[in-house]
């Protein structure tokens, strides 16, 4: 199977990535049920698809050295959808941002990435869209899910199929296939409240 990440940097590759994004959005919103052609086309107007189109375009421009143009497209995405994705962010096929309000992303991710509302994924020191892509951005594996209002910062690795739960701030690696969530505070006893836990 051809590496999906090789699709970055070319117009034909961008079309393949967008086709995969569209297929995933369609599957997520219809449950995989057959739909009429007109209804399928209407999915192009969904915010999730607009995020994908604008980011793929910005990433292509960024890769060709047209950083100002890429930053303009990224800013347009922020204004139209509420999602701010750094143009240098490499995201595999199947990007899904169902509710893009207040989503900020500056990282590398594999296929089938899901970003829920209010997520912050990026380096410790944020960079603007017209600045070079940072070396300390997070790396998310295939099928990673970032929950609503969660944050992932720094050069951490989120394993394939891992889920960072709602309102979790993750500053360390998350193993593949696990779920990270806020632990319950200890009401009784002398034990200190825990930070985050990992569980299958």
């Amino acid at each position: 199977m051809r590496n999906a990440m090789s699709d970055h940097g070319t117009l034909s590759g961008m079309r393949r990535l967008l086709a995969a994004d569209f297929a995933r959005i369609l599957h997520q919103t219809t449950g995989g049920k057959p739909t009429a052609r007109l209804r399928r086309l209407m999915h192009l107007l969904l915010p999730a698809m607009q995020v994908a189109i604008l980011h793929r375009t910005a990433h292509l421009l960024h890769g060709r050295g047209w950083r100002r143009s890429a930053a303009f497209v990224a800013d347009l995405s922020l204004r139209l959808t509420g999602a701010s994705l750094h143009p240098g962010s490499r995201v595999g096929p199947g990007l899904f941002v169902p509710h893009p309000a207040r989503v900020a992303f500056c990282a590398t991710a594999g296929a089938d990435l899901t970003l829920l509302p209010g997520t912050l994924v990026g380096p410790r020191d944020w960079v603007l869209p017209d600045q070079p892509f940072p070396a300390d951005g997070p790396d998310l594996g295939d099928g990673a899910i970032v929950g609503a209002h969660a944050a992932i910062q720094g050069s951490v690795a989120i394993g394939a199929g891992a889920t960072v739960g709602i309102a979790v701030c993750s500053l360390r690696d998350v193993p593949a296939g696990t779920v990270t969530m806020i632990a319950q505070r200890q009401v009784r006893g002398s034990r200190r409240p825990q930070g985050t836990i990992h569980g299958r």
Side-chain angles (χ1 to χ4, degrees):
M1 179 178 179
R2 190 168 58 86
N3 186 353
M5 299 305 279
S6 66
D7 277 339
H8 293 267
T10 66
L11 191 59
S12 60
M14 186 182 80
R15 286 196 293 264
R16 284 190 289 269
L17 289 169
L18 284 173
D21 297 337
F22 181 74
R24 175 144 192 247
I25 291 168
L26 189 64
H27 180 79
Q28 291 285 342
T29 55
T30 65
K33 298 178 181 178
T35 56
R37 183 176 181 182
L38 179 59
R39 186 179 176 188
R40 288 171 60 92
L41 292 176
M42 288 178 65
H43 281 75
L44 293 171
L45 303 178
L46 291 178
M49 195 62 208
Q50 293 175 9
V51 170
I53 292 170
L54 291 169
H55 175 64
R56 301 300 187 191
T57 302
H59 184 72
L60 180 65
L61 294 171
H62 182 87
R64 295 187 175 184
W66 300 338
R67 288 183 180 171
R68 288 186 179 180
S69 298
F72 173 80
V73 176
D75 183 66
L76 182 63
S77 174
L78 176 60
R79 293 175 184 273
L80 292 178
T81 69
S84 175
L85 282 72
H86 191 283
S89 298
R90 291 170 63 91
V91 181
L95 172 63
F96 184 50
V97 190
H99 304 287
R102 299 182 303 280
V103 169
F105 187 85
C106 182
T108 301
D112 297 330
L113 171 67
T114 302
L115 299 173
L116 296 177
T119 56
L120 172 67
V121 183
R124 294 293 183 94
D125 297 319
W126 202 260
V127 295
L128 298 175
D130 60 345
Q131 295 177 322
F133 188 75
D136 64 336
D139 187 6
L140 287 69
D142 294 346
I145 300 174
V146 185
H149 307 291
I152 303 171
Q153 291 186 280
S155 55
V156 299
I158 308 299
T163 297
V164 177
I166 298 173
V168 170
C169 180
S170 181
L171 304 177
R172 59 183 180 179
D173 294 351
V174 176
T178 61
V179 177
T180 304
M181 67 191 87
I182 296 293
Q184 295 293 327
R185 291 182 176 273
Q186 297 293 328
V187 178
R188 297 178 182 176
S190 59
R191 292 181 61 188
R192 294 183 179 180
Q194 298 177 355
T196 59
I197 60 175
H198 301 287
R200 292 191 182 276

